[in-house]
């Protein structure tokens, strides 16, 4: 054997030894030393961030936990389930696997939690394709453009805030303004192949109400609901959002057009805040640590169009504006990373107009790419009438406005009952894209005749 072959053989043996040593390093068991709030601190446990570990309790059972950080000799874990029964020095065994799920066509028509476990009392779906919850990145230059309008079945959105297939929008609202009702309308009337609903951090009662009241049997047949209610751990709430997105990605990669509805992006951010603060991240903006503002775009950017010829994910993320404050840090961050926002107004809802969409404060950033010039002109006309009326709303309410003072306000005042009727829509009545545009044209034709 030549010296060169000996050197090459020795180099290969050293490489294999290093790989074996690294693999064994990542499976070293540890011991639980401290529980602080929701965080487990372990020593001696060698595991990668994002991987799972098994924590043995005093009764011989175990709880799964996920590695969320480390500092020196200490590894920080976040439990998936309840910690009852966990004792000091509990054994922690790395499982050498990251959070993954097997997804398939049998997920449609199901209601599952963030771990893929059934909530609908049916057998657990098996699936066919194993995917990571963190998804895959797509080169922005490889994505197909947003050129096709999407019919969402809501007249005000179709006509005035046209949504493009593959767009990502925020639905901004305070509590009790009708965002869940609007989501329910879109689940029934949107022209999509598959609907994926992520109910993240909402009340447990709302899960059943949404499935039975908003989706119904017919809607659920083409939908998959991922629900992690408010009483679940923050890690499960994060997983619920990731899993809902992973399900949407799976069907998109099959060439299908997917509607992803996530309620809410705010609860996702709050779950990450709980985890970040628990592992020692410093609070920055209104108590939110920096990791929150890194996780938001990482989640949202996974939606959208895939490569040309493949499917799409059109996503709506609800954003709770605390105290109806539009400058809430999560709302402000969401506006910067989404392709538009639809604002629901409490003032409009109190006036009896549902859905209570504030057209002036809302925008679809890709509407001009999906509509004709004539359609865009019509939208500008109606927006001008709305702005003129709202500018003089107080004067009109007390009868102090004098007709003739402003021609546009006069026109808005004359058409106002018809404008209100156009913006209103019964929950049980869908309005197609063509129908919505025809009604907008008819409304503005009346202005031209008056």
């Amino acid at each position: 054997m030549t010296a060169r072959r000996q050197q090459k053989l020795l180099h290969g043996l050293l490489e294999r030894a290093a790989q074996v040593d690294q693999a064994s390093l990542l499976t070293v068991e540890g011991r639980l030393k401290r529980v602080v709030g929701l965080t487990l601190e372990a020593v001696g446990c060698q595991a990668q961030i994002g991987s799972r570990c098994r924590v043995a309790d005093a009764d011989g059972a175990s709880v799964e936990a996920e590695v969320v950080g480390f500092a020196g000799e200490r590894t920080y874990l976040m439990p998936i389930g309840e910690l009852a029964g966990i004792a000091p020095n509990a054994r922690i065994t790395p499982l050498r696997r990251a959070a993954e799920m097997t997804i398939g066509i049998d997920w449609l028509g199901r209601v599952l939690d963030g771990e893929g476990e059934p909530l609908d009392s049916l057998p657990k779906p098996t699936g066919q394709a194993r995917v990571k919850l963190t998804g895959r990145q797509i080169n922005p230059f490889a994505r197909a453009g947003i050129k096709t309008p999407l019919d969402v079945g809501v007249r005000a959105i179709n006509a005035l805030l046209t949504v493009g297939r593959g767009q990502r929008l925020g639905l901004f609202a305070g509590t009790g303004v009708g965002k869940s009702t609007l989501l329910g309308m879109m689940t029934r009337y949107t022209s999509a192949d598959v609907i994926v609903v992520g109910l993240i951090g909402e009340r447990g009662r709302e899960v059943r109400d949404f499935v039975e009241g908003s989706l119904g049997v017919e809607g659920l047949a083409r939908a998959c609901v991922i629900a992690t209610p408010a009483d679940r751990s923050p890690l499960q709430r994060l997983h619920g959002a990731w899993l809902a997105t992973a399900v949407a990605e799976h069907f998109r990669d099959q060439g299908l057009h997917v509607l992803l509805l996530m309620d809410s992006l705010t609860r996702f951010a709050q779950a990450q805040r709980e985890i970040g603060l628990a592992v020692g991240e410093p609070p920055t903006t209104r108590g939110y640590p920096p990791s929150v503002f890194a996780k938001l775009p990482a989640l949202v950017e996974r939606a959208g169009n895939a490569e040309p010829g493949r499917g799409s994910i059109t996503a709506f993320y609800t954003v709770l504006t605390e105290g109806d404050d539009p400058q809430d840090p999560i709302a402000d961050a969401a506006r910067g990373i989404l392709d538009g926002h639809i604002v629901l107004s409490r003032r409009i809802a109190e006036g009896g107009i549902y859905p209570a969409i504030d057209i002036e404060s809302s925008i679809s950033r890709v509407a001009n790419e999906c509509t004709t010039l004539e359609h865009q002109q019509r939208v500008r006309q109606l927006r001008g009438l709305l702005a003129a009326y709202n500018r003089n709303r107080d004067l009109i309410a007390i009868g102090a406005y004098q007709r003739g003072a402003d021609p546009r306000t006069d026109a808005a005042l004359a058409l106002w009952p018809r404008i209100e009727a156009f913006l209103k829509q019964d929950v049980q009545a869908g309005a197609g894209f063509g129908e919505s545009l025809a009604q907008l044209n008819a409304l503005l034709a009346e202005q031209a005749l008056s």
Side-chain angles (χ1 to χ4, degrees):
M1 183 180 295
T2 64
R4 186 172 180 178
R5 286 192 62 189
Q6 287 180 336
Q7 186 177 11
K8 188 175 180 180
L9 180 61
L10 179 61
H11 181 70
L13 290 172
L14 289 173
E15 274 192 346
R16 284 194 292 273
Q19 291 172 357
V20 170
D21 185 58
Q22 182 67 15
S24 63
L25 180 66
L26 295 176
T27 57
V28 173
E29 289 187 353
R31 293 288 175 177
L32 178 63
K33 288 302 178 185
R34 192 165 70 146
V35 177
V36 181
L38 299 175
T39 310
L40 309 180
E41 292 187 12
V43 295
C45 177
Q46 300 290 337
Q48 299 168 317
I49 288 180
S51 62
R52 295 291 183 92
C53 295
R54 181 180 291 112
V55 185
D57 64 18
D59 298 326
S62 62
V63 175
E64 279 199 16
E66 185 172 306
V67 179
V68 295
F70 53 83
E73 298 296 322
R74 294 187 178 270
T75 301
Y76 300 111
L77 304 100
M78 190 70 64
I80 303 297
E82 294 294 330
L83 286 176
I86 299 298
N89 291 313
R91 188 173 71 256
I92 298 178
T93 307
L95 299 178
R96 295 182 62 186
R97 63 179 175 84
E100 294 181 338
M101 209 66 66
T102 304
I103 299 172
I105 195 69
D106 57 346
W107 281 52
L108 295 181
R110 302 301 307 275
V111 183
L112 310 169
D113 67 9
E115 298 299 306
E117 297 296 328
L119 295 176
D120 51 12
S121 303
L122 297 175
K124 183 175 181 178
T126 55
Q128 294 82 39
R130 192 156 190 86
V131 299
K132 290 185 177 180
L133 295 190
T134 51
R136 65 181 181 92
Q137 290 183 333
I138 301 178
N139 187 323
F141 282 94
R143 289 183 185 267
I146 302 175
K147 302 293 183 183
T148 306
L150 179 70
D151 182 1
V152 298
V154 180
R155 182 167 46 246
I157 298 177
N158 280 341
L160 304 176
L161 302 166
T162 306
V163 176
R165 180 168 284 160
Q167 189 176 356
R168 298 160 297 195
L169 290 103
L171 192 58
F172 291 70
T175 55
V177 188
K179 61 176 174 38
S180 296
T181 303
L182 180 56
L183 287 179
M185 292 175 67
M186 288 191 286
T187 59
R188 285 195 295 272
Y189 305 130
T190 299
S191 55
D193 300 318
V194 172
I195 297 170
V196 180
V197 181
L199 301 177
I200 312 301
E202 297 300 311
R203 294 183 290 272
R205 173 188 61 80
E206 291 184 336
V207 176
R208 184 165 191 164
D209 288 350
F210 189 89
V211 172
E212 296 180 354
S214 298
L215 272 177
V217 176
E218 185 178 346
L220 185 60
R222 60 168 181 155
C224 174
V225 179
I226 306 297
T228 50
D231 61 345
R232 301 299 177 93
S233 71
L235 194 59
Q236 282 184 304
R237 280 176 266 147
L238 282 187
H239 285 180
W242 291 339
L243 178 57
T245 308
V247 173
E249 287 175 322
H250 169 77
F251 288 112
R252 177 188 64 187
D253 292 343
Q254 308 304 310
L256 301 176
H257 297 299
V258 182
L259 175 66
L260 172 63
L261 304 174
M262 190 168 295
D263 188 11
S264 69
L265 196 64
T266 305
R267 305 297 188 207
F268 171 84
Q270 289 172 346
Q272 179 59 35
R273 177 175 63 182
E274 291 179 45
I275 293 173
L277 295 178
V279 298
E281 267 196 276
T284 53
T285 307
R286 293 198 190 180
Y288 286 97
S291 64
V292 171
F293 301 99
K295 293 285 187 183
L296 287 175
L299 176 71
V300 169
E301 283 294 324
R302 292 169 59 182
N305 286 332
E307 297 84 353
R310 305 186 76 173
S312 65
I313 300 174
T314 306
F316 286 85
Y317 301 91
T318 66
V319 181
L320 299 174
T321 50
E322 297 181 6
D324 292 339
D325 178 13
Q327 302 307 318
D328 174 85
I330 300 304
D332 195 47
R335 273 193 296 270
I337 59 177
L338 294 169
D339 302 324
H341 50 271
I342 297 172
V343 179
L344 299 186
S345 166
R346 192 173 301 279
R347 173 184 60 81
I348 294 175
E350 289 171 350
I353 298 177
Y354 288 95
I357 299 173
D358 187 343
I359 300 298
E360 289 184 83
S361 301
S362 305
I363 188 172
S364 172
R365 293 195 176 104
V366 304
N368 288 350
E369 304 296 326
C370 307
T371 55
T372 64
L373 292 175
E374 181 185 2
H375 186 174
Q376 295 165 28
Q377 183 181 6
R378 297 293 192 188
V379 172
R380 286 193 294 269
Q381 282 181 261
L382 188 54
R383 278 181 174 270
L385 293 174
L386 286 168
Y389 184 90
N390 288 326
R391 191 164 53 244
N392 295 282
R393 173 182 293 275
D394 293 338
L395 294 176
I396 295 170
I398 63 175
Y401 176 76
Q402 299 294 322
R403 290 182 181 272
D406 177 39
R408 181 168 286 184
T409 304
D410 292 344
L413 194 54
L415 284 178
W416 190 248
R418 296 181 182 88
I419 292 175
E420 279 194 325
F422 177 82
L423 296 176
K424 287 181 181 179
Q425 184 173 335
D426 188 83
V427 174
Q428 303 300 328
F433 185 81
E435 176 190 350
S436 302
L437 187 54
Q439 292 179 354
L440 174 63
N441 291 337
L443 174 65
L444 295 175
E446 293 182 31
Q447 178 198 4
L449 293 173
S450 60

